[in-house]
Amino acid sequence: MQTKILEVQSLYKEYGKKENATKALNGLSCSVIKGEFLGIMGSSGSGKTTLLNCIATMLRPTKGQILLNGENIAHFSAKQLAEYRGSRIGYLFQTFELLDNLTGRENILLPIAIHGAAGKEAGKQLEQLAGYLEITDVLDHFPAQMSGGQKQRIAAARALIMNPDLILADEPTGALDSKNARSLMEKLTGLNETRDTTILMVTHDINAASYCSRILFIQDGVIFHELRKNTEDETRQDFYKRIIAVMAQLGGGSANVY
């Protein structure tokens, strides 16, 4: 039986008031299944980043509910909210958001320092992540001494260090060249497949989206279409072609896609 790790129920987010109100989210509902790699796509202004920021509690929705493992995050106490932000979700930013005065190792361990965890276990987790993400050689470097790809893999390790229930990735390949973008997506896919890491990724990059197992397309603050990869026999290249077809229909507002 599939377990819903995240449920978004009839979510609204409005900016402005009365006649000047703009609906970024217009009653959107969706769910994330434990262990899946879910992509969110849509044109600029469709509501995809607003959705991610509501899940991350950076924004408060106007109406609706967000449930993590059945718990309404709007009802969390200050302590529960701090735990949610610090250890139950991990956030991977487009622009890395590393602290320049900390080494790669210190940036990765920052959530541990803030929220606390067993030192020995944290060290073991760090070693495993650094080896898998191929960043062992830059752990003691500062961000200014790293390439863009190394910075994003350091950021990925930081998002994963607390073993969160869910990884939220906001355009994670947006600041990377094609080689580093491909490397990052291969690493995230590997984590999803081997460690059952649940990932929710917002992206406009069709190539990045082709690594997902399912994609939700958002238009005008609601789900426009859903695309599932046939994991048994569909290649990533074939899935890529289907994504392109849906994105073309998004421009015309037609739901006649498959």
Side-chain angles (χ1 to χ4, degrees):
M1 181 178 178
Q2 292 183 323
T3 303
K4 293 181 181 179
I5 195 168
L6 183 81
E7 295 178 76
V8 177
Q9 300 176 346
S10 301
L11 207 66
Y12 290 81
K13 178 58 182 177
E14 296 183 5
Y15 297 98
K17 295 182 179 180
K18 296 182 179 179
E19 65 274 4
N20 294 320
T22 300
K23 289 184 178 179
L25 297 175
N26 194 19
L28 185 147
S29 296
C30 65
S31 60
V32 183
I33 304 300
K34 181 175 174 57
E36 80 168 332
F37 194 161
L38 177 64
I40 303 286
M41 299 192 78
S43 59
S44 178
S46 61
K48 59 186 188 297
T49 298
T50 297
L51 171 63
L52 202 68
N53 287 338
C54 285
I55 295 169
T57 69
M58 295 180 185
L59 289 175
R60 182 186 293 272
T62 306
K63 286 193 298 183
Q65 296 187 123
I66 299 171
L67 309 178
L68 183 72
N69 291 321
E71 297 178 89
N72 188 339
I73 66 174
H75 297 162
F76 283 175
S77 65
K79 182 179 180 181
Q80 288 174 315
L81 199 56
E83 179 190 4
Y84 173 78
R85 292 168 175 162
S87 59
R88 299 188 69 183
I89 61 170
Y91 207 106
L92 187 55
F93 300 89
Q94 176 179 343
T95 52
F96 323 133
E97 301 297 331
L98 301 179
L99 296 182
D100 292 334
N101 62 334
L102 298 183
T103 65
R105 185 188 309 275
E106 291 166 339
N107 268 288
I108 294 170
L109 292 174
L110 191 60
I112 301 287
I114 294 173
H115 300 284
K120 187 176 180 180
E121 286 301 312
K124 184 178 178 181
Q125 172 82 333
L126 172 62
E127 288 179 13
Q128 291 176 345
L129 287 171
Y132 176 75
L133 294 168
E134 299 179 357
I135 50 174
T136 303
D137 57 337
V138 296
L139 285 178
D140 295 316
H141 292 185
F142 291 97
Q145 300 168 304
M146 303 177 194
S147 68
Q150 289 168 336
K151 290 178 185 177
Q152 192 59 302
R153 280 177 276 142
I154 289 285
R158 180 186 59 193
L160 290 157
I161 193 68
M162 296 285 284
N163 285 316
D165 297 326
L166 176 67
I167 295 293
L168 302 177
D170 186 8
E171 303 279 8
T173 62
L176 303 178
D177 59 32
S178 59
K179 180 181 178 181
N180 279 306
R182 182 174 63 253
S183 176
L184 176 69
M185 294 312 303
E186 288 172 352
K187 295 297 185 185
L188 291 178
T189 302
L191 288 166
N192 171 251
E193 292 176 349
T194 62
R195 294 178 46 158
D196 212 28
T197 302
T198 307
I199 305 171
L200 172 59
M201 177 179 71
V202 162
T203 186
H204 69 278
D205 182 348
I206 296 174
N207 189 60
S210 68
Y211 286 87
C212 297
S213 55
R214 182 166 66 104
I215 300 172
L216 299 178
F217 298 86
I218 297 181
Q219 187 175 55
D220 300 327
V222 296
I223 302 298
F224 164 79
H225 189 65
E226 177 183 282
L227 206 58
R228 293 177 182 269
K229 184 178 181 181
N230 186 336
T231 54
E232 293 185 2
D233 55 18
E234 185 173 31
T235 66
R236 190 171 65 81
Q237 289 73 21
D238 288 339
F239 195 42
Y240 177 93
K241 292 175 183 177
R242 285 209 288 146
I243 298 169
I244 289 177
V246 176
M247 292 301 290
Q249 293 293 338
L250 264 173
S254 170
N256 187 27
V257 290
Y258 55 89

